[in-house]
């Protein structure tokens, strides 16, 4: 750490809104202590939701972490649904964004308006598309996007836009919850998903992927999810490693791509908890180069996506390499996409030897370029290119969330 960074670190105090004891909170606290600072003050999500917010001291650096993996918080956000139920994501979103608006004071590492966009796939896709970030085609993107009230609307949009293969995603979902990879052709249709339908017609998340090949079954799932909001995207056929579809999770901190993993799967969904596994990142880089591309350009796509959210210090970008390894598409930008335990920074990223949480703490301690300016938030970080990290000329900011 530089002399200025050491001096700045002496007065920094962190706070984190999260679930006490959760692995995310624990890993971040470990990174803060590893930097020689007192552990962060943990403000439980239960307290935030019960009291309608929380207050922070003017100098506290506040990180918001995921409210997931805690049954009581899930109940407060989604009502009395069983923890594995897929439905209720619209109610979850309303409770989550309301909680964000109740956070007062402090120095924020993530912007509430930007988080509200990141957790609405339709709005996020529109922001990325407007910025020129390559994304799969979507007929539901943005304020002028088509409404999806059920399976009949999905079928209509498939015909209208010639989308025989597409992903149907809950607008406010995460971790592939409720996502269906739909394929139609030759008079047949099937959907691959983690959704399990009970005899009573309830939808539950499962760690085992299953395929539905009866259109009535697919329609029943989509019709049940539609009231929470749905987002449709054209299916991008992915490049592969050893016969396994491959994509990337790239973590961008303060405007720089710092960490990356390749994820592979024999199914359309590469999420590691659904049977995907880490691929060979070095082999993927070599494949990009062999196809005539540059790995730096791959990372630049992720940085451009993160640039759309300049007031949020860290995001995880899901990058989809198309067959041939030449074209890249941003599938999603995740507000809490940094849970990659044990992974250290990419060479040349400035985060070598640091995990994703250590990289974020280091970015805070580096602060703005001018030593007389107190850390005011990630938008004031100065990148090596000489402009605020995460911003580029013409990059639109995420629109404010509706009141």
């Amino acid at each position: 750490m530089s002399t200025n960074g050491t001096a700045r670190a002496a007065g920094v105090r962190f706070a984190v809104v999260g679930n006490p004891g959760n692995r995310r909170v624990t890993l971040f606290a470990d990174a803060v202590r590893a930097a020689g600072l007192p552990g962060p003050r943990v403000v439980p999500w239960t307290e935030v939701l019960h009291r309608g917010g929380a207050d922070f001291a003017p100098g506290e650096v506040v990180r918001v972490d995921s409210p997931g993996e805690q049954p009581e918080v899930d109940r407060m956000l989604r009502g009395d649904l069983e923890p594995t139920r897929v439905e209720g994501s619209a109610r979850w979103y309303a409770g989550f964004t309301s909680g964000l608006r109740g956070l007062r004071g402090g120095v924020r590492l993530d912007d509430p308006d930007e988080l509200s966009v990141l957790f609405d796939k339709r709005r996020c896709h529109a922001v990325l598309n407007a910025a020129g970030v390559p994304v799969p085609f979507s007929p539901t993107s943005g304020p002028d996007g088509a409404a999806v009230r059920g399976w009949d609307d999905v079928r209509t949009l498939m015909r209208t836009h010639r989308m025989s293969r597409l992903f149907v995603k809950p607008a406010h979902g995460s971790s592939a919850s409720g996502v269906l990879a739909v394929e139609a052709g030759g008079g047949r249709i099937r959907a691959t998903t983690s959704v399990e339908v009970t005899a009573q017609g309830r939808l539950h998340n499962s760690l085992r992927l299953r395929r539905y090949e009866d259109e009535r079954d697919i329609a029943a799932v989509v019709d049940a999810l539609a009231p929470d909001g749905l987002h449709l995207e054209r299916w991008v056929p992915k490049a592969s490693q050893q016969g396994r579809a491959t994509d990337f999770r790239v973590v961008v901190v303060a405007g720089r791509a710092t960490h990356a993993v390749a994820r592979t799967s024999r199914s359309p969904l590469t999420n590691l908890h659904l049977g995907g596994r880490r691929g060979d990142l070095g082999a993927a880089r070599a494949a990009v180069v062999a196809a005539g591309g540059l790995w730096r350009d791959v990372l630049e796509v992720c940085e451009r996506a993160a640039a759309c959210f300049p007031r949020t210090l860290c995001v995880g970008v899901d990058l989809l390499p198309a067959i041939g390894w030449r074209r890249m598409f941003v599938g999603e930008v995740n507000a809490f996409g940094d849970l990659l335990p044990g992974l250290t920074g990419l060479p040349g990223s400035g985060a070598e030897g640091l995990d994703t949480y250590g990289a974020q703490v280091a970015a805070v301690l580096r602060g703005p370029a001018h030593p007389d300016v107190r850390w005011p938030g990630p938008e004031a970080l100065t990148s090596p290119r000489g402009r605020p990290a995460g911003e580029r000329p013409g990059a639109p900011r995420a629109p404010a969330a509706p009141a």
Side-chain angles (χ1 to χ4, degrees):
M1 188 186 304
S2 68
T3 301
N4 289 333
T6 303
R8 186 177 291 110
V12 172
R13 295 293 182 269
F14 282 94
V16 57
V17 178
N19 295 324
N22 182 270
R23 53 186 174 164
R24 294 174 179 271
V25 172
T26 299
L27 287 167
F28 181 70
D30 289 345
V32 171
R33 294 188 186 97
L37 299 170
R41 179 169 74 97
V42 179
V43 179
W45 267 110
T46 51
E47 180 180 311
V48 170
L49 297 174
H50 178 70
R51 297 184 178 180
D55 293 288
F56 299 91
E60 277 189 300
V61 180
V62 183
R63 168 187 171 86
V64 174
D65 220 323
S66 171
E69 301 179 347
Q70 217 284 353
E72 184 179 358
V73 173
D74 189 69
R75 180 186 59 78
M76 295 175 78
L77 289 172
R78 296 197 306 134
D80 291 325
L81 294 175
E82 299 160 272
T84 59
R85 288 284 290 276
V86 182
E87 305 98 311
S89 60
R91 178 171 176 170
W92 180 98
Y93 178 76
F96 173 67
T97 53
S98 177
L100 292 174
R101 290 194 294 272
L103 302 180
R104 299 171 292 271
V107 180
R108 295 292 299 275
L109 297 185
D110 14 55
D111 180 80
D113 290 337
E114 292 185 353
L115 289 179
S116 73
V117 174
L118 288 165
F119 274 95
D120 187 327
K121 299 183 194 302
R122 300 161 299 190
R123 296 172 66 197
C124 183
H125 187 283
V127 168
L128 296 170
N129 192 44
V133 175
V135 289
F137 168 76
S138 170
T140 57
S141 176
D144 298 325
V148 179
R149 293 154 296 195
W151 179 245
D152 288 344
D153 288 339
V154 173
R155 268 303 209 177
T156 297
L157 291 169
M158 290 172 67
R159 288 192 296 269
T160 301
H161 299 285
R162 298 183 179 179
M163 293 193 300
S164 59
R165 303 177 81 209
L166 74 158
F167 283 89
V168 180
K169 303 179 177 182
H172 309 299
S174 61
S175 302
S177 173
V179 173
L180 294 91
V182 178
E183 304 170 82
R188 303 180 65 183
I189 190 165
R190 72 179 180 186
T192 303
T193 180
S194 64
V195 174
E196 177 183 1
V197 183
T198 68
Q200 295 76 30
R202 297 169 182 155
L203 309 186
H204 287 262
N205 264 317
S206 169
L207 295 180
R208 181 175 69 85
L209 290 175
R210 60 200 70 226
R211 285 180 175 172
Y212 295 100
E213 299 187 344
D214 187 321
E215 186 165 357
R216 292 171 297 183
D217 294 334
I218 300 171
V221 172
V222 172
D223 289 345
L225 292 175
D228 285 321
L230 291 174
H231 176 61
L232 311 185
E233 286 184 355
R234 191 184 301 278
W235 181 327
V236 174
K238 296 177 185 175
S240 65
Q241 285 188 355
Q242 299 179 340
R244 297 172 63 89
T246 301
D247 63 16
F248 302 106
R249 165 63 61 84
V250 179
V251 176
V252 181
V253 177
R256 294 291 300 275
T258 58
H259 298 73
V261 293
R263 306 182 301 186
T264 72
S265 177
R266 296 197 183 280
S267 84
L269 304 175
T270 59
N271 301 72
L272 300 181
H273 71 286
L274 295 177
R277 65 185 187 213
R278 290 192 182 186
D280 187 334
L281 185 64
R285 293 181 60 167
V288 170
V289 173
L294 296 174
W295 181 245
R296 177 63 245 171
D297 292 342
V298 172
L299 299 181
E300 177 70 20
V301 173
C302 300
E303 293 175 354
R304 288 169 56 198
C308 295
F309 306 94
R311 300 186 299 277
T312 296
L313 178 65
C314 176
V315 295
V317 179
D318 290 343
L319 192 67
L320 318 177
I323 291 174
W325 297 97
R326 290 299 303 272
R327 301 177 67 199
M328 301 284 162
F329 298 87
V330 172
E332 294 189 10
V333 181
N334 305 275
F336 305 132
D338 53 3
L339 184 61
L340 297 170
L343 185 71
T344 54
L346 295 166
S349 68
E352 297 89 341
L354 298 174
D355 67 8
T356 58
Y357 301 97
Q360 292 169 66
V361 173
V364 173
L365 300 185
R366 282 197 304 271
H370 196 287
D372 294 331
V373 179
R374 191 183 68 178
W375 168 264
E379 69 272 19
L381 282 171
T382 299
S383 74
R385 298 180 180 86
R387 63 175 181 269
E391 294 187 357
R392 63 186 179 85
R397 289 189 171 192

